[in-house]
Amino acid sequence: MTDALPGPILVIAPHPDDEVLGCGGTIARLAAEGASVHIGIVTSGKPPRFDPAQVAGVRAEAARAHKMLGVAETHWLGLPAAALDQMAHGDVNAAIDDLVRRIRPATMLIPFLGDLHLDHQVVFRSCLVAARPRSAEAPICLMAYETLSETNWGAAGIDPQFSPNCFIDIGDYLDRKIEAFLEFGSQVRPFPDERSPEAIRALATLRGATVYRRAAEAFCVVREIR
């Protein structure tokens, strides 16, 4: 159990690095406070769109980043990246539901419905299906995180807008979040790209100042049972 969120914790990421961009500081804090934090990476790159060597490299990057954050275990679901909207939705539901049943998380952190990438939108819906409160083992806390270069690139006034109502203090863990993201060397971009250390720090600083903290990560609470 942690002071921040009830555990065990399951973070669902459509692609490797979404979890670090969206809630890497929270992951580090929860792990440091003794929570068991699991990461579920829904997709993997498939040929011919993705080179197998590149995919293997990203997996290695994720392993290093997750070790740095204190992740208990990383689970790769292996669904095709950038193609979830072409799958039967029931198959995506089943893959995530199986992981939820195995981990039995008290808290799930998931991507936001309004993210630009269709994979994120599909994963959000499937997470809601897997987290349906139909038994005492269902997650009691479900929150959506924001992902730089995805959450804020939707169509304003048309797509759902990210309006956070929960902020987690990561003042002591922001540097570790940035260091973990830097392990994703294939994904890091120079500023002013959003996938840069400077942009990550800027957003965390802004979210922190919103609630009078040095740094924070923001979430939309989807459901909380107390």
Side-chain angles (χ1 to χ4, degrees), residues 45-52 54-55 80-86 117 119:
K46 307 293 184 183
R49 176 174 291 167
F50 296 94
D51 177 69
Q54 177 192 14
V55 173
L84 292 185
D85 60 315
Q86 300 170 37
H117 203 306
D119 281 357

Side-chain angles (χ1 to χ4, degrees), residues 4-225:
L5 294 169
I9 315 290
L10 177 58
V11 181
I12 299 291
H15 317 100
D17 85 351
D18 289 331
E19 73 289 357
V20 178
L21 285 168
C23 49
T26 298
I27 292 169
R29 174 179 167 180
L30 293 172
E33 291 178 353
S36 177
V37 183
H38 292 254
I39 308 294
I41 307 293
V42 177
T43 69
S44 294
K46 307 293 184 183
R49 176 174 291 167
F50 296 94
D51 177 69
Q54 177 192 14
V55 173
V58 172
R59 282 205 177 204
E61 292 171 347
R64 294 192 297 271
H66 293 176
K67 182 178 181 180
M68 184 175 294
L69 295 175
V71 171
E73 188 173 357
T74 303
H75 309 265
W76 295 85
L77 305 191
L79 304 186
L84 292 185
D85 60 315
Q86 300 170 37
M87 290 186 62
H89 191 53
D91 292 340
V92 184
N93 292 349
I96 295 176
D97 183 71
D98 178 69
L99 180 60
V100 171
R101 288 176 180 272
R102 285 188 282 127
I103 304 302
R104 291 191 175 184
T107 296
M108 285 180 63
L109 305 180
I110 66 177
F112 181 62
L113 175 61
D115 287 1
L116 179 63
H117 203 306
L118 285 177
D119 281 357
H120 289 228
Q121 299 173 27
V122 172
V123 169
F124 174 89
R125 291 296 188 190
S126 291
C127 285
L128 260 61
V129 171
R132 286 177 295 189
R134 304 181 75 174
S135 73
E137 289 76 33
I140 61 173
C141 182
L142 190 64
M143 304 200 307
Y145 56 82
E146 62 179 333
T147 307
L148 279 162
S149 78
E150 296 292 354
T151 304
N152 61 317
W153 283 2
I158 300 174
D159 291 329
Q161 298 300 292
F162 188 81
S163 299
N165 54 8
C166 177
F167 298 82
I168 295 183
D169 186 340
I170 63 164
D172 293 334
Y173 301 96
L174 176 56
D175 288 342
R176 193 177 306 176
K177 169 179 178 164
I178 293 174
E179 290 167 3
F181 180 68
L182 288 173
E183 292 293 342
F184 284 97
S186 63
Q187 308 301 314
V188 177
R189 300 290 183 267
F191 186 77
D193 194 287
E194 289 199 338
R195 288 174 176 260
S196 64
E198 294 89 344
I200 294 172
R201 187 175 297 278
L203 179 61
T205 302
L206 172 64
R207 294 307 190 193
T210 301
V211 290
Y212 204 74
R213 297 293 187 274
R214 291 187 297 110
E217 287 172 335
F219 301 85
C220 288
V221 176
V222 177
R223 180 170 60 249
E224 187 174 27
I225 305 171

